[in-house]
Amino acid sequence: MKPGDIDTPGTGIGDGTRAVRAGLPEPVKYEPTLPGPVFAAHFHLSGEPTGPYTYGRDENPTWTHLERAIGELEAPGGDGVETLAFASGMAAISAVLFSQLRAGDTVVLPTDGYQVLPLVREQLTAYGIEVRTAPTGDDAQLGVLDGVKLLWIETPSNPGLDVCDLRRIVEVAHLQGTLVAVDNTLATPLGQRPLELGADFSVASGTKMLTGHGDLLLGYVASRDAGLMSSVRRWRKIVGAIPGPMEAWLAHRSLATLHLRAERQTANALALAEALRGRPEVTGLRYPGLSDDPSHKIAAQQMRRFGCVVSFTLPTRAHAERFLEALRLVDDATSFGGVRSTAERRGRWGGDAVPEGFIRFSAGAEDPQDLVADVLRALDESAH
């Protein structure tokens, strides 16, 4: 199979095959399968600037390979999908919001989304943009959509793991001319494909499970609409929020194991959630993969994998801190999606409307029996 063949509709290949081949150039004798990072601020450019690579803030061959790879995962076999890589997830989020909105426009943000969004709201308001908010669960966004230019969705939400019905919301939004952007960070393209569900933008932090090793910052925006992406590209050029070539190369290399990591990490998350069900000190347990989770029915209709994050609450802040300290296989760290399990008391940052004992747990790729045993032991020790 040649690299370009994975874009061909009807090939019927699986996620693993697609992930290991995505974005690779045509093979050249004696050249590496995945070319190394191109470090260049400028390129040879005689005459008129008509070629693809002119200046390092605009384009880079290493970005091109990565962007093609992500596009193939976001919309397998789809024509006309364009992807742009950014220096971080927040750079990608900002690019969509600030390239599409003008003074006098209205945007809807989630009340239970990523904890930096309140800062974004302040900046949008300062620019004369009206910001409305609604929670993710129960499709509450539908109640505030009148006259809205852009709807921003996180599903599953971070950190509460609520889910909304993307197909339903996109249909209603588009009927009144509202654009829809979906933060797909937690699900990844192997868990959910917003563009196939009708969204105008799929946006994500590649820092998390997409690359999965906790060693780089990255973001991306994908869309089928060339006009929308033209304005996003222009914003990237103006702001200069570009990824380094080494980060882009590392990210592309990491995509080849995404399917393996996603399978193990989602299986571990489910095993952990099931083990936590019977613990009397655990309340508010959420994982969309649990059959009795409030979001499971809708999640199962639009997701193929439920992600690696489990959330739950322990009785007090002190209890949560004792639990985190007692863990041996799990790092107390922020972020999520890495091959090494992490957990944190999310309330320590502020910005999230969560109890003091709220734990966001990111399941890694450890053996499930070891991970579950470590968590249950830490719960036992922290009870006293």
Side-chain angles (χ1 to χ4, degrees):
M1 178 182 292
K2 294 181 179 179
D5 290 343
I6 64 173
D7 282 332
T8 305
T11 53
I13 65 171
D15 285 342
T17 303
R18 181 173 289 108
V20 300
R21 304 296 302 177
L24 297 181
E26 291 292 332
V28 177
K29 193 173 184 178
Y30 307 125
E31 293 293 326
T33 303
L34 177 61
V38 175
F39 298 98
H42 58 263
F43 302 83
H44 289 296
L45 190 64
S46 57
E48 294 298 315
T50 57
Y53 304 109
T54 58
Y55 185 61
R57 191 180 68 251
D58 297 328
E59 292 290 351
N60 179 289
T62 310
W63 305 351
T64 299
H65 295 316
L66 173 64
E67 289 167 347
R68 287 175 181 169
I70 294 174
E72 290 166 10
L73 298 179
E74 283 281 349
D79 294 326
V81 174
E82 184 177 356
T83 304
L84 292 175
F86 287 83
S88 68
M90 279 309 304
I93 290 170
S94 299
V96 173
L97 291 171
F98 292 106
S99 70
Q100 303 305 312
L101 297 168
R102 302 288 184 273
D105 288 340
T106 302
V107 62
V108 174
L109 300 179
T111 55
D112 52 348
Y114 183 46
Q115 55 110 357
V116 180
L117 288 181
L119 298 179
V120 175
R121 178 180 182 176
E122 291 178 10
Q123 195 62 55
L124 289 167
T125 302
Y127 287 159
I129 297 164
E130 179 186 349
V131 181
R132 301 176 189 167
T133 59
T136 300
D138 298 321
D139 297 348
Q141 302 96 327
L142 294 177
V144 293
L145 276 187
D146 186 46
V148 169
K149 174 69 179 297
L150 175 66
L151 168 63
W152 190 272
I153 294 173
E154 277 186 31
T155 181
S157 61
N158 170 31
L161 303 181
D162 264 327
V163 172
C164 60
D165 187 336
L166 276 180
R167 289 186 184 89
R168 179 190 180 205
I169 291 174
V170 167
E171 181 179 0
V172 174
H174 283 175
L175 284 174
Q176 65 170 39
T178 299
L179 297 172
V180 179
V182 177
D183 186 330
N184 204 39
T185 301
L186 199 146
T188 82
L190 296 195
Q192 178 174 265
R193 295 188 179 124
L195 300 183
E196 292 184 352
L197 296 169
D200 299 286
F201 296 101
S202 181
V203 188
S205 168
T207 308
K208 312 297 195 296
M209 186 189 276
L210 188 81
T211 57
H213 291 80
D215 54 8
L216 61 89
L217 296 178
L218 190 83
Y220 72 85
V221 178
S223 177
R224 298 182 188 273
D225 190 312
L228 295 177
M229 289 302 283
S230 177
S231 59
V232 175
R233 183 183 294 274
R234 181 175 181 270
W235 179 264
R236 184 177 72 171
K237 178 182 178 71
I238 293 170
V239 177
I242 58 174
M246 191 66 199
E247 285 79 6
W249 184 86
L250 286 169
H252 196 171
R253 176 214 59 180
S254 298
L255 288 183
T257 60
L258 174 58
H259 63 297
L260 299 173
R261 292 184 279 107
E263 286 292 337
R264 171 55 74 87
Q265 289 178 247
T266 55
N268 279 356
L270 180 59
L272 177 64
E274 290 175 337
L276 292 173
R277 269 174 165 165
R279 299 291 305 202
E281 71 271 51
V282 170
T283 59
L285 175 65
R286 295 300 303 271
Y287 182 64
L290 286 173
S291 60
D292 57 352
D293 186 271
S295 293
H296 178 74
K297 182 178 179 180
I298 292 180
Q301 294 171 0
Q302 64 193 29
M303 299 182 73
R304 291 150 47 244
R305 295 175 177 86
F306 299 107
C308 64
V309 177
V310 178
S311 66
F312 58 94
T313 300
L314 295 175
T316 64
R317 171 177 175 169
H319 194 146
E321 290 173 346
R322 291 197 304 270
F323 165 71
L324 293 170
E325 187 176 354
L327 291 167
R328 296 172 184 166
L329 298 180
V330 182
D331 295 328
D332 188 346
T334 196
S335 196
F336 58 85
V339 291
R340 288 172 288 277
S341 291
T342 60
E344 68 171 335
R345 191 183 66 81
R346 192 64 186 162
R348 64 182 175 174
W349 297 102
D352 290 316
V354 295
E356 285 292 320
F358 181 93
I359 300 292
R360 185 179 71 179
F361 194 106
S362 174
E366 299 88 358
D367 288 319
Q369 64 271 22
D370 295 334
L371 181 61
V372 170
D374 188 47
V375 170
L376 296 182
R377 180 198 50 75
L379 285 173
D380 289 338
E381 291 185 8
S382 64
H384 306 290

